[in-house]
Amino acid sequence: MIWFHSYNARRRLIQVLSAVVFITLPFGNILRLDIPTLRFYAFNTVLWIDEFYLLFLVLMLIIFIIVIFSMIYGRVWCGWMCPQTGLNELVSWYEKKTKQWLRVPKTGASLIRRATAGVLQILTIWIISFLIGFVLIAYFVDPYTMVTEISGGTLGVITTGILVGISALTFVNIMFWREKFCTKACPYGMMQMVITDSRTQIVRYRTERNDDCIECKACVRDCMMGIDIRTSPYQTECIHCGVCVDSCTAILSRLQKPTLISFSWGEQQTGSRWFERLGFIDAKRWIIAFVVVAYAVVLAVVIHTRQPLALTASGDRSTLFREGKDGLIYNDYVVKISNRSMEDGLFKLDCNERHTPYTSCSLFIAENPIRLKSREEKTLKMSISTNGQHLKPGPNRLELQAVHTSNSTINTTTEIVFFMPEEHSGNVQ
């Protein structure tokens, strides 16, 4: 695996793996915010909109990881994992290959060959743009539902408009912007100046050995961003791809000299121990990494131990209560119950008076126990009757409970208000 010794070869492998991850995340519900259902999917967990505090904490964790990664490794994301960079290189490679396949010379080619190459390139770029737009929307809309709707011609107007818009922007980006987007518009690149410090990884030209430079300018010719790394290691256009390092290494190795360009932790290369080679060269980085890891562990525990069941009930306040032929008092409710786990379940509803559990309380509902599929929510109408024993006239606080029929540790309760008539004696049998 001598080929893997070059930065460019390693970068290609990481780009491919990053592209696979980018595409599979929404399809596997590994990381996706589903806007139509207002749910956030993270690995084997689903968070609902009323659990916004957990969603906020998850998003904060993602931001923390991005910040510490950028503080240690600089713009390695841009050169090694960013879909924009990989897309730019893929399209550039395809354009060259298209001209080779159609045997289009640099000068003097027939109009037909040039037009054929141009049409083929534009068609391919549009297809790529559409697929990228689809994947991006899949982070916010169920991708399998979209595939079914697109194939059946039933995709909604709003989703269609967004898909066409993103595809068009991606097409313009690939056709005209490419590297200009990285240098002029990318917010992540601009953020680098705020979160980096004097020991952030850079690509550095060793000015102390300037006399060894043979002015071959291979580093300049091969740079995809078109910069001269010898000018400064802090140029905003530099995406830390390492191509210039490979170029200089290849040339000077023929002269049996070490490379003049290399990755370095700030202006001075420091440390040789394994953790120092990973970028943890001072206490600041260790402390921040420890805080982020501790935060992630606590958040994982909180999410894992939360009850995967939600229950709400709202009473019919148009009538407050009604008296049945059996002499019992009835209150009507609308109940919402949702299974927030990744497994199907059967849940039993029950009620009792919060402070006097001896009150006779009966539920009248079309389905009880209630069968819920994973991530399913049901809205049901329900009536509760009581003989009024131990209840006072007016509003009373009752508890409605939902319990998993095969695992009683999975349960939840909600408070409901039960109205009794003012003239009721509270002793109806």
Side-chain angles (χ1 to χ4, degrees), residues 32 34 40 124 142 163 166 192 263 297 309 354 393 412 424:
R32 188 169 70 84
D34 194 275
F40 179 77
T124 303
D142 182 63
L163 178 58
I166 293 178
Q192 291 288 316
F263 283 94
V297 170
L309 184 64
R354 295 182 61 184
T412 187
H424 202 276

Side-chain angles (χ1 to χ4, degrees), residues 47-59:
L47 302 178
W48 294 46
I49 190 62
D50 59 354
E51 297 176 299
F52 178 78
Y53 70 100
L54 289 175
L55 174 58
F56 174 78
L57 294 177
V58 171
L59 295 178

Side-chain angles (χ1 to χ4, degrees), residues 15 19 45 50-51 87 89 133 153 182-183 240 249 263 277 288 300 319 331 374 382-383 396 422:
Q15 282 180 327
T45 302
D50 59 354
E51 297 176 299
L87 185 61
E89 295 184 75
C182 302
T183 59
H240 294 181
T249 301
F263 283 94
R277 291 197 297 270
I288 295 177
T319 57
N331 280 202
S374 171
M382 176 189 71
S383 297
N396 295 267
E422 293 292 338

